[in-house]
Amino acid sequence: MNPSSAPFSSPSGKLSGTLYVVATPIGNLADMVPRAVETLQSVALIAAEDTRHSARLLSHFSISTPCVPYHDHSDERRTDDLLQRLTGGESLALISDAGTPLVSDPGYRLVRAARQSGIPVVPIPGACALTAALSASGLASDRFSFEGFPPAKTNARRNWLDALAGDRRTLIFYEAPHRVLACLQDMEAVFGPEREAVLARELTKTFETIQGGPLAELVEFVAGDSNQQRGEIVLLVAGAPARADEGLDAEAERVMGILLEDLPVKQAAALAARITGVKKNALYQWAIDQK
């Protein structure tokens, strides 16, 4: 039996189906993984964010599985109907319009309800705009925060951005094309014109654009080309730089402490900078201050 359709024995002892959370391409249909195609072909039903939008994808891969809409405006009755089918032994797949479901897409309620009911939830990984953008951005990827869509109104957006201004992590946002210029202008005002940022637009599609630079330059770039205000957009902003009056974090202090046991300050600072990513001068000054 295909594992996608095999029933599962829940803690209650009853046989249930499996809910598959299936990632789909964000533009290029060649990015569809074989496991996703097999799963969508074998389940009893597909819950799609927009069945009309998904029809092209399903047709392209000869997937004839029935679809029902499941989106932000679906009521509890639709969730209950899907749960009933799962507990009755049918396996279902959840897809969004593009990319990985639940990443700024509907589906959270169904996944949570399924898990609470003891129904297995299996991810089928694939495309995701935020990770694709981060991988090609050149910004630090060891720590990042996905913030979703900023508020639509200027005052609310600036207040929201102000709360993020000191975050050291790379910040990732989705933004609507008709608001991207205003959002970048607010980012420049709040984060400062020199903060590094990247615009990733129409990823995997014909007019893919990945443009980086200081926020002031990025604002000028988008303002000067109306084509950059179209399509699917990811904005990435470098984390806030360390302030000169701040001490080292615990990990940097630990690394410096170990290196200073065997190395001169200058060499220890240079090596610790490579290990921790902290500026060499800050590490050197910290070591001097400890004496």
Side-chain angles (χ1 to χ4, degrees):
M1 178 181 287
N2 187 305
S4 295
S5 57
F8 171 82
S9 181
S10 67
S12 64
K14 296 181 179 180
L15 291 180
S16 76
T18 298
L19 176 62
Y20 292 91
V21 183
V22 182
T24 56
I26 57 177
N28 192 323
L29 292 179
D31 292 335
M32 187 77 161
V33 300
R35 187 181 175 209
V37 174
E38 179 186 359
T39 300
L40 294 178
Q41 288 173 334
S42 62
V43 294
L45 185 71
I46 299 171
E49 183 179 359
D50 185 332
T51 55
R52 294 168 299 178
H53 183 92
S54 298
R56 174 172 169 261
L57 173 78
L58 301 180
S59 175
H60 180 82
F61 290 103
S62 301
I63 298 169
S64 58
T65 306
C67 284
V68 295
Y70 190 81
H71 44 70
D72 281 332
H73 304 293
S74 297
D75 57 21
E76 292 301 319
R77 186 186 311 169
R78 174 53 54 86
T79 302
D80 292 342
D81 288 345
L82 295 175
L83 280 176
Q84 190 171 20
R85 297 189 69 154
L86 285 162
T87 56
E90 293 182 316
S91 288
L92 276 58
L94 175 68
I95 63 174
S96 63
D97 284 349
T100 301
L102 278 73
V103 181
S104 274
D105 280 315
Y108 162 78
R109 288 176 297 158
L110 179 60
V111 170
R112 183 172 179 82
R115 292 186 60 82
Q116 289 177 336
S117 298
I119 296 166
V121 179
V122 176
I124 310 295
C128 180
L130 78 90
T131 52
L134 180 63
S135 71
S137 69
L139 299 181
S141 58
D142 54 338
R143 297 180 67 227
F144 62 90
S145 176
F146 175 59
E147 299 296 332
F149 283 88
K153 301 295 184 180
T154 299
N155 287 341
R157 184 167 55 237
R158 288 201 175 193
N159 290 336
W160 185 72
L161 291 171
D162 188 61
L164 298 171
D167 199 315
R168 298 285 183 80
R169 299 169 295 180
T170 295
L171 302 174
I172 306 176
F173 310 86
Y174 287 169
E175 186 52 290
H178 62 281
R179 289 197 297 265
V180 64
L181 179 57
C183 184
L184 283 169
Q185 290 169 334
D186 288 343
M187 287 178 173
E188 180 186 7
V190 174
F191 297 151
E194 297 302 317
R195 182 82 73 91
E196 190 177 0
V198 174
L199 167 77
R201 187 183 71 88
E202 292 291 85
L203 292 173
T204 79
K205 301 176 186 176
T206 302
F207 299 104
E208 176 180 276
T209 302
I210 303 175
Q211 180 73 22
L215 276 166
E217 292 182 11
L218 209 55
V219 167
E220 184 177 351
F221 171 72
V222 173
D225 183 356
S226 61
N227 287 322
Q228 305 308 321
Q229 301 173 45
R230 299 175 181 173
E232 303 291 331
I233 294 169
V234 184
L235 296 176
L236 306 95
V237 180
R243 298 198 310 268
D245 60 344
E246 289 184 344
L248 302 183
D249 61 30
E251 178 62 11
E253 290 185 4
R254 186 185 73 82
V255 171
M256 278 295 290
I258 294 172
L259 295 177
L260 286 170
E261 293 177 1
D262 299 302
L263 297 174
V265 172
K266 187 175 181 180
Q267 287 181 278
L271 184 54
R274 293 171 58 187
I275 295 171
T276 66
V278 177
K279 296 291 186 182
K280 181 173 63 176
N281 289 346
L283 293 161
Y284 182 89
Q285 187 59 52
W286 177 86
I288 296 299
D289 292 341
Q290 304 311 302
K291 294 184 176 181

